[in-house]
């Protein structure tokens, strides 16, 4: 049992013991090449569990006749495919002894698989994923930005259009009520009032009459019930269809109508 007890690598004292994190390959001569020697690296695996990483190989000079191997689980087997003289040469190479006569063995692929390419590939792939994610984020942000822009533009226009009749009604009511407005409130809202305001902003009317601001629901007006928000290069489904827009506007109009009618009676009596 050369595998146990395990020993440190020491070729000079006959201890050819090595542990391999990665796969280990021995070389066989390619029989198809007759005019030139070609070596084919062949991977060793546990005959029981087929593990090919984390293997240990051992050969003690003077004691063993074949190389013995063990897998991480603990299966051990003899490995006559690994040539003893090649194994000992590889152990000397791993111990730092470079021998010109044996360089061909390393070049043929004998020994533990080299690590770098696998790691680089993984790293690059992960990096590419990160870059792609970043790109996607940027693209999404751009689309969102465009949609916001369109919504704002269209929304403002639509809101103004939609509020025109309502604002007209509210303005009438406002004018009628101007005398009865709480002076403190009016002062707070507009501290210096040289003369009665010609046309206060729509927002003032809204505030005065508790009309819901249309920003809360003009989204459906954005898509104009087509269900899609469109702009140059962009066409996305409207995500806020059937929102409270219609309801809010209807409520505003009802309220305005009520206010108008209530004041209309007084108007007929107060104005000439
Ligand atoms: Zn095994
Ligand atoms: Zn909509």
């Amino acid at each position: 049992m050369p595998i146990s007890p395990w020993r440190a690598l020491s070729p000079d004292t006959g201890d050819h013991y090595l542990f391999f994190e990665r796969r280990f390959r021995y070389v066989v001569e390619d029989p198809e090449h007759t005019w030139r020697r070609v070596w084919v690296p062949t991977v060793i695996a546990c005959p029981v569990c087929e593990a090919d990483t984390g293997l240990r190989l051992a050969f003690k000079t003077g004691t063993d006749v074949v190389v013995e191997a063990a897998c991480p689980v603990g299966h051990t087997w003899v490995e006559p495919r690994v040539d003893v003289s090649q194994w000992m040469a590889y152990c000397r190479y791993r111990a730092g002894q470079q021998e010109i006569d044996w360089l061909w063995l390393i070049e043929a692929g004998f020994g533990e698989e080299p690590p770098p390419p696998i790691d680089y590939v993984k790293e690059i792939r992960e990096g590419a994923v990160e870059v792609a994610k970043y790109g996607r984020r940027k693209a999404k942000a751009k689309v969102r930005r465009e949609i916001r822009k369109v919504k704002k533009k269209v929304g403002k226009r639509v809101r103004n259009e939609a509020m025109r009749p309502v604002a007209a009604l509210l303005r009438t009511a406002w004018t009628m009520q101007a005398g009865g407005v709480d002076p403190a409130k009016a002062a707070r809202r507009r501290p210096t009032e040289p003369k009665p305001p010609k046309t206060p902003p729509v927002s003032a009317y809204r505030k005065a009459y508790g009309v819901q601001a249309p920003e809360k629901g003009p989204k459906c007006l954005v898509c104009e019930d087509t269900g899609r928000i469109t702009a140059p290069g962009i066409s996305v489904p409207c995500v806020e269809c059937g929102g409270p827009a219609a309801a809010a506007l209807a409520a505003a109009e009802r309220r305005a109508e009520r206010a108008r009618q209530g004041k209309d009676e007084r108007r007929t009596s107060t104005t000439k």
Side-chain angles (χ1 to χ4, degrees):
M1 278 290 263
I3 282 289
S4 96
W6 188 250
R7 291 163 175 271
L9 175 65
S10 176
D12 290 342
T13 55
D15 297 334
H16 302 90
Y17 290 72
L18 276 175
F19 165 79
F20 300 112
E21 226 174 284
R22 298 179 293 279
R23 303 197 299 177
F24 175 85
R25 301 171 305 185
Y26 65 97
V27 291
V28 289
E29 207 174 338
D30 189 346
E32 290 192 5
H33 289 78
T34 48
W35 54 276
R36 172 169 85 94
R37 289 187 120 184
V38 174
W39 300 94
V40 180
T42 311
V43 169
I44 280 177
C46 171
V48 181
C49 68
E50 293 181 2
D52 58 3
T53 54
L55 302 185
R56 291 178 297 149
L57 268 70
F59 179 85
K60 183 150 179 62
T61 312
T63 311
D64 303 319
V65 286
V66 287
V67 173
E68 189 164 319
C71 80
V73 179
H75 306 129
T76 58
W77 68 98
V78 290
E79 200 48 270
R81 293 175 298 176
V82 178
D83 180 85
V84 169
S85 59
Q86 289 178 5
W87 172 248
M88 290 195 295
Y90 181 70
C91 284
R92 290 198 298 277
Y93 166 78
R94 288 289 292 252
Q97 301 170 26
Q98 303 260 359
E99 293 163 25
I100 295 290
D101 290 349
W102 284 105
L103 274 181
W104 69 268
L105 185 66
I106 308 305
E107 278 169 10
F110 188 102
E112 190 174 18
E113 282 187 341
I118 300 152
D119 290 351
Y120 281 138
V121 166
K122 194 174 164 219
E123 223 167 83
I124 287 164
R125 200 182 296 129
E126 279 168 4
V129 167
E130 270 310 305
V131 168
K133 269 188 194 160
Y134 177 72
R136 263 204 304 280
R137 269 204 304 276
K138 280 199 91 166
K140 269 189 185 169
K142 193 183 171 210
V143 168
R144 270 202 297 272
R145 205 160 49 234
E146 292 296 327
I147 289 171
R148 257 203 306 278
K149 222 155 69 188
V150 171
K151 264 170 130 181
K152 213 189 236 166
K153 213 157 52 192
V154 178
K156 199 177 274 169
R157 178 158 49 78
V158 171
R159 188 157 63 243
N160 288 346
E161 292 287 318
M163 285 309 286
R164 196 167 287 154
V166 182
L169 292 173
L170 288 173
R171 247 176 246 127
T172 312
W174 175 274
T175 314
M176 289 317 303
Q177 221 193 350
V181 166
D182 181 9
K185 262 191 178 173
R188 197 170 31 151
R189 204 158 30 242
R190 193 176 286 199
T192 49
E193 264 182 7
K195 32 179 132 171
K198 287 183 284 180
T199 23
V202 173
S203 61
Y205 290 108
R206 273 200 224 106
K207 215 182 228 170
Y209 289 95
V211 173
Q212 204 183 350
E215 297 102 76
K216 292 203 178 118
K219 274 98 183 205
C220 245
L221 293 173
V222 171
C223 75
E224 283 169 332
D225 289 340
T226 60
R228 294 197 76 77
I229 301 169
T230 50
I234 287 166
S235 177
V236 292
C238 176
V239 283
E240 286 138 312
C241 240
L249 267 176
E253 239 148 341
R254 263 202 311 280
R255 239 182 271 221
E257 179 67 16
R258 229 183 303 137
R260 190 177 62 88
Q261 278 179 355
K263 305 308 182 282
D264 266 356
E265 282 170 59
R266 233 193 291 165
R267 179 194 212 171
T268 44
S269 59
T270 45
T271 52
K272 56 170 183 181

